[in-house]
Amino acid sequence: MQQPIIQVINPNTSQAMTHTIAEAARSVAAPGTQILATCPEQGVESIEGHFDEAIAAIGVLEQIQQGKAQGASGHVIACFGDPGLLAAREIASGPVIGIAEAAMHMATLVATRFTIVTTLPRTVIIARHLVHQYGFEHHCAALHAIDLPVLALEDGTGLAQRLVRERCIQAKKEDNSGAIVLGCGGMANLAKELTEEIGIPVIDGVTAAVKLVESLVALGIGTSKFGDLAYPNKKPLSGSFARLG
Amino acid sequence: MQQPIIQVINPNTSQAMTHTIAEAARSVAAPGTQILATCPEQGVESIEGHFDEAIAAIGVLEQIQQGKAQGASGHVIACFGDPGLLAAREIASGPVIGIAEAAMHMATLVATRFTIVTTLPRTVIIARHLVHQYGFEHHCAALHAIDLPVLALEDGTGLAQRLVRERCIQAKKEDNSGAIVLGCGGMANLAKELTEEIGIPVIDGVTAAVKLVESLVALGIGTSKFGDLAYPNKKPLSGSFARLG
Amino acid sequence: MQQPIIQVINPNTSQAMTHTIAEAARSVAAPGTQILATCPEQGVESIEGHFDEAIAAIGVLEQIQQGKAQGASGHVIACFGDPGLLAAREIASGPVIGIAEAAMHMATLVATRFTIVTTLPRTVIIARHLVHQYGFEHHCAALHAIDLPVLALEDGTGLAQRLVRERCIQAKKEDNSGAIVLGCGGMANLAKELTEEIGIPVIDGVTAAVKLVESLVALGIGTSKFGDLAYPNKKPLSGSFARLG
Amino acid sequence: MQQPIIQVINPNTSQAMTHTIAEAARSVAAPGTQILATCPEQGVESIEGHFDEAIAAIGVLEQIQQGKAQGASGHVIACFGDPGLLAAREIASGPVIGIAEAAMHMATLVATRFTIVTTLPRTVIIARHLVHQYGFEHHCAALHAIDLPVLALEDGTGLAQRLVRERCIQAKKEDNSGAIVLGCGGMANLAKELTEEIGIPVIDGVTAAVKLVESLVALGIGTSKFGDLAYPNKKPLSGSFARLG
Amino acid sequence: MQQPIIQVINPNTSQAMTHTIAEAARSVAAPGTQILATCPEQGVESIEGHFDEAIAAIGVLEQIQQGKAQGASGHVIACFGDPGLLAAREIASGPVIGIAEAAMHMATLVATRFTIVTTLPRTVIIARHLVHQYGFEHHCAALHAIDLPVLALEDGTGLAQRLVRERCIQAKKEDNSGAIVLGCGGMANLAKELTEEIGIPVIDGVTAAVKLVESLVALGIGTSKFGDLAYPNKKPLSGSFARLG
Amino acid sequence: MQQPIIQVINPNTSQAMTHTIAEAARSVAAPGTQILATCPEQGVESIEGHFDEAIAAIGVLEQIQQGKAQGASGHVIACFGDPGLLAAREIASGPVIGIAEAAMHMATLVATRFTIVTTLPRTVIIARHLVHQYGFEHHCAALHAIDLPVLALEDGTGLAQRLVRERCIQAKKEDNSGAIVLGCGGMANLAKELTEEIGIPVIDGVTAAVKLVESLVALGIGTSKFGDLAYPNKKPLSGSFARLG
């Protein structure tokens, strides 16, 4: 069985969050799996809306190409909006998994309904779009925001973490959900502890995505190169995009 | 009533297609409406997949900001995938309309079911995603591709135009659809003639979007600045993205 | 470009409401557009349920035929239930737009989710059916009623108007919606003021429908005369219906 | 147990079709059930589109009121478009069942998927709307038209009947459906024979609706008079509608 | 007209509940209809989850075969989860109706939206699955549990009955539903009284299913024996399942 | 990291198919993962419909309990109808994965649309129900049957295998799908070869499910024991079901 190199891409430029994500990824990787944690040099420090996502998507594409050059067998997009997911699949040959889809898929395998807990109210709508696109509307009981910006998860006060915990406890009671999906890559380190405390699966997408990429690599299944995910039609890329060519 | 300046953004870098689009836009603009036809300096020459769209989205955002600086009252994204639509709405204050949504909305107002005719098979899936996202699954009877690249519409041979025409005729017969939506900004100049020849509304999104922006401006309705379309949270943009700040 | 005559049909027999609607329509019509505001001579004074709608539909059909005889280029059905819409499209050649569909379409172009505020609880279900039929279930966050009959909007006390205003303010807060759709033709004159006060687009269907008809006329797009919206099969109409022949 | 009087309303003015429908109704009525077969004096001779349905709805309402005056315990609307159904429920106290809904409900109880065979292509879209509204999209495998007008079923040549038969046989083979729904009140007399010949349930809505009304009456369940189906708010009805007051 | 023998199967082994169900069934059966109330000898005493349902399904299948041997014309599965419904249809020739589907179908015929009131929170999800599968998501306004086990309905204290009553009253007010569906076979005897007291149809599935079976038998419609409901492919059944062969 | 014991349950009693499944499972298991391949002693030799599934579900439940006693960390239900899945989750503590859901989830991660190829036409409807229940209707382009019984896959002639191969090739061409899901546990050994030959991912659920169970175990995520998947309420199990207690 192939020993995979899994590239875990933090689509924002925060080194602290890249570190949190890398640690979470390594904590679940199989022996022999190499985690290549990266983030783009250019872009935004945190991703909190459609505009930020559009910028982050370019960083993701650049990172995918670098990851391929470094021999990555598969890729994780470690931002809950799964920015650039389908574009990334077009240029990749191995599997590419977004952490939102990873967490939602896993949640439906262990509970009949799940709740999503995310950071800002404005990212709730992005999560809702993904739920709709992935087909999980009947599985998603509710979406909640703690109403703090993404970087509050890295400010060292623990406030964001406390609010996530409270929201999860409340969600179990009110939504009658069997599982909770953590709606931000920066919450990756909270899943295990909350699972134990709250008594239902609290699922983080970073670790879930790492295992899904490992699984697909082991199964010999890469991204389909037929149809809309085939490699992009070759054409000149001008200006700052030339580096993506 | 305000005399609007409507920015029509061709998200690819093809001057020929920008010209086609500008002419279509001007042919329907109200007296007094100024059409500002633009395209990004950097990007891709044609948009034929998710990867191309991710790049085009950045060009759209850049153009929106230039359009705002030039006093544009509203904006049209003249590529059938509506690349960067929600991100563009976040940074705009006036309305932003994608040509795919414009054509589909108009089609549902004059027929109970419509068919989409586009260029490449791989863009069919993108159109299908939009149909799903916009809520028109029960209104869209079928999607067809002529299986030629986007730029074939600008090659001067007329082959692409002939194939579009044949596909539209066949679609009316087979899909029993009351209207046809042309699935590419480069087909903007075909709508009027095909409508007459085929005897059902053949709808182009560029002209439809211009009228929708004019309408919203006249109604005093801009993009909602509350919730997920509020202006992006301020944060540093690094590298080549700094120009979007 | 053609100077359109737009027939704005109030499907109930209230002259006061016809006046309110006509004024709203004229306030947004393009220079050169002629507004032909009409209401049926026979029918109901206000439309508050399925029964009232069935009666109003006949009035709408009669008015459409009179409008055609007077050279109308397009038609607006100015009651939020869009009574008789598809039947009206069968006998019309120009576009026919209902104010419910007009307001909902416009709302989805400037916000990702909208709330509907209507009069009676029993009309909520009618609005819900339209949301379902038009495909906007994922765009409609909630529907609310102020629990007053339609004609309270014309009683001069301002109570209904105050309740609409309060419900809109509450809806923004509770539903997290980016836009509000006013669910009654008699609220047409409230949109502009509420938009400014509440700070999100508050959309009235009468004005929205006028601009959509103008747009379709300018685009040369009429109602599709192929398929289920083709002119009705000729057959004798007996009794009081003979006048519709 | 109450001996019900069931009013079977043919919404068009064809005496021949009223006769066909009455016979079908009587052939399945329980001993003691009285069938009151009626049709409006004014209206259209056959119902083949939205316009015809709008007119027929008024006839249905008038008939419902006459039926109530005659002591009817429940009502059947014997046209496959179920014209005026919700309006009729508002003014009725007993159950009101449309034959389209009756046939579809019954079909889902004996097969996992059904096919609808109707007359004109333009009525296919009406049936499709009903399928959508009643929630049977996952149960309806296909809809077909024999492409003959409704009255061809009464022309004595048997052509329409032969085409229905052929379409049913083909539908079983092609759609892999376990049941067929006959999409016209005028086909009521074909169901039994086709069921035997084709070997799958071929369901007619007239007979199905009669049994559903009988069932509801026996259960003591009438139309809900709470919410949107409560009796209409009292208001003056002017002109030819005064008779509905 | 055939005098049907209707087998009413209580899928659990509780004699008390079988008695309640039999009485309800007989109270609505037509003169001449014979009710054959049965329950399996082996299985579970009450059905409160997926595990219980899997066991009950075998009992249902065994009972269906015994019912066929006794000349039953049709069958009712008198547990709100409709356990074994499709499997039962495979081996039956007459109609097989589950009480959940029966109650929901009837509810949509007399109200535009209904509420379900059931016993345990964990059975709410089962009811939700059925709503989804039967296509009634737009018709079901809400689902509530009284949070007592199924057998509390047979404990003689009346507590469960009081809680059901309170929940129904609350549901009418809060959900704005026009009808209520009782979500347990053991509530069969409450429907009539609650309907009168609360003033909206409160529908029990046992009585509803009996009338639907009677209706189908009278119409000459059995379960489709074409496609996925055809008799099972013959194959050896080993061990304790041999009795099902 | 825990070395998991994964129980792979063939829900039918065919030793040959259990062997095929076990080999497939072992071919992808991680080093250290122990595969415990089992099948029930009693039941049916192949599963080709709802009746067979109801019987197989009991075998699955029995096997789950034996697997728990043997220390299994998780369970695979290796029949494409996922028989007994939710009931099995109720009694398990570790994850339980059906091969249909496993294959479908994996397919959506590497292609935007997939096609299912199964054995008998009557199992197509079962697969369709699962697609609906799991939320993958927009991802499933088509379902096809080779029209041979399940055991033809074990008859040594290779006919079934040839037909599967032909159907997959045709499906790629006609459905424009990016991936194919093999719709039977007995096809587990065909996936790898077909993937290479056809050039798109051909996904087998047995291997996919094994990797998903491994992943969930590694993540420390078991089946949610809150809500409808909590352990069954304790109650006496009588007769041949006593062994499940």
Side-chain angles (χ1 to χ4, degrees), chain F residues 174-243:
Chain F
E174 289 173 7
D175 307 337
N176 216 16
S177 285
I180 287 168
V181 162
L182 294 177
C184 181
M187 300 175 184
N189 52 353
L190 304 178
K192 184 156 281 188
E193 199 179 321
L194 287 173
T195 296
E196 274 165 35
E197 184 184 350
I198 302 179
I200 57 175
V202 177
I203 300 174
D204 151 61
V206 176
T207 48
V210 167
K211 299 312 286 183
L212 285 174
V213 172
E214 275 184 353
S215 296
L216 287 162
V217 169
L219 293 167
I221 301 174
T223 295
S224 177
K225 292 289 100 186
F226 175 75
D228 65 305
L229 298 181
Y231 294 115
N233 294 356
K234 276 287 168 213
K235 63 189 68 159
L237 296 170
S238 56
S240 62
F241 301 107
R243 67 186 190 277

Side-chain angles (χ1 to χ4, degrees), chain D:
Chain D
M1 199 163 302
Q2 185 183 356
Q3 294 298 348
I5 301 171
I6 298 181
Q7 184 191 29
V8 179
I9 304 166
N10 173 17
N12 70 42
T13 59
S14 158
Q15 294 294 338
M17 199 170 289
T18 306
H19 185 72
T20 303
I21 288 167
E23 285 210 321
R26 289 196 181 101
S27 74
V28 299
T33 294
Q34 183 185 336
I35 297 295
L36 197 64
T38 70
C39 73
E41 278 176 41
Q42 307 179 357
V44 284
E45 270 204 329
S46 62
I47 300 168
E48 298 170 325
H50 309 291
F51 176 80
D52 296 347
E53 284 203 346
I55 290 172
I58 302 298
V60 166
L61 296 176
E62 207 175 276
Q63 291 301 306
I64 294 269
Q65 287 179 330
Q66 292 185 14
K68 284 174 72 176
Q70 292 172 275
S73 338
H75 316 265
V76 170
I77 301 179
C79 167
F80 199 76
D82 295 354
L85 180 59
L86 293 176
R89 283 191 178 140
E90 276 189 2
I91 58 172
S93 53
V96 185
I97 306 291
I99 65 169
E101 66 176 351
M104 293 188 208
H105 280 269
M106 289 306 201
T108 67
L109 298 177
V110 294
T112 46
R113 304 227 299 171
F114 62 81
T115 287
I116 297 175
V117 174
T118 183
T119 52
L120 288 170
R122 72 186 297 165
T123 61
V124 164
I125 193 78
I126 294 178
R128 208 192 306 267
H129 283 173
L130 295 180
V131 166
H132 182 53
Q133 186 180 326
Y134 298 154
F136 295 138
E137 284 172 306
H138 291 100
H139 301 85
C140 179
L143 302 102
H144 304 291
I146 57 166
D147 209 352
L148 282 183
V150 168
L151 291 181
L153 286 159
E154 307 289 346
D155 71 4
T157 66
L159 172 62
Q161 284 75 3
R162 274 199 305 282
L163 290 178
V164 169
R165 181 182 163 278
E166 280 166 28
R167 208 62 198 78
C168 288
I169 291 171
Q170 208 178 336
K172 180 186 174 187
K173 211 179 304 174
E174 288 172 8
D175 308 336
N176 216 19
S177 285
I180 286 170
V181 163
L182 295 178
C184 181
M187 301 177 185
N189 51 354
L190 304 179
K192 183 156 281 188
E193 197 179 322
L194 288 173
T195 295
E196 276 166 33
E197 183 184 351
I198 302 179
I200 57 175
V202 176
I203 300 173
D204 151 61
V206 176
T207 47
V210 166
K211 299 312 284 183
L212 285 174
V213 172
E214 274 183 354
S215 296
L216 288 162
V217 169
L219 293 167
I221 302 174
T223 294
S224 176
K225 294 286 101 187
F226 175 73
D228 65 304
L229 298 181
Y231 294 116
N233 295 356
K234 276 285 171 214
K235 62 190 69 162
L237 295 170
S238 55
S240 61
F241 300 108
R243 68 186 189 277
L244 293 174

Side-chain angles (χ1 to χ4, degrees), chain B residues 27-80:
Chain B
S27 74
V28 299
T33 294
Q34 185 185 335
I35 298 295
L36 196 65
T38 69
C39 73
E41 277 176 40
Q42 306 179 358
V44 283
E45 271 203 328
S46 62
I47 300 169
E48 298 169 324
H50 308 292
F51 176 80
D52 295 348
E53 284 203 345
I55 291 173
I58 302 299
V60 166
L61 295 176
E62 206 176 276
Q63 290 301 306
I64 294 269
Q65 286 178 330
Q66 292 184 13
K68 283 175 71 177
Q70 292 172 276
S73 337
H75 315 265
V76 170
I77 301 179
C79 167
F80 199 77

Side-chain angles (χ1 to χ4, degrees), chain A residues 183-195:
Chain A
C184 181
M187 300 176 185
N189 52 352
L190 304 179
K192 184 156 281 186
E193 198 179 321
L194 288 173
T195 296

Side-chain angles (χ1 to χ4, degrees), chain C residues 91-169:
Chain C
I91 60 171
S93 54
V96 184
I97 306 292
I99 66 170
E101 66 176 351
M104 293 188 208
H105 280 268
M106 289 308 200
T108 67
L109 298 177
V110 294
T112 47
R113 304 227 298 171
F114 62 82
T115 287
I116 297 176
V117 174
T118 185
T119 51
L120 288 170
R122 71 187 297 167
T123 61
V124 165
I125 194 78
I126 295 179
R128 208 191 307 266
H129 283 174
L130 295 181
V131 166
H132 182 52
Q133 186 179 328
Y134 298 156
F136 295 137
E137 282 171 306
H138 291 101
H139 301 86
C140 179
L143 302 101
H144 305 292
I146 57 165
D147 210 350
L148 282 184
V150 168
L151 291 181
L153 287 159
E154 307 289 346
D155 70 5
T157 66
L159 172 63
Q161 284 76 1
R162 273 199 303 282
L163 289 178
V164 169
R165 180 181 162 278
E166 280 165 28
R167 209 64 198 76
C168 288
I169 290 171

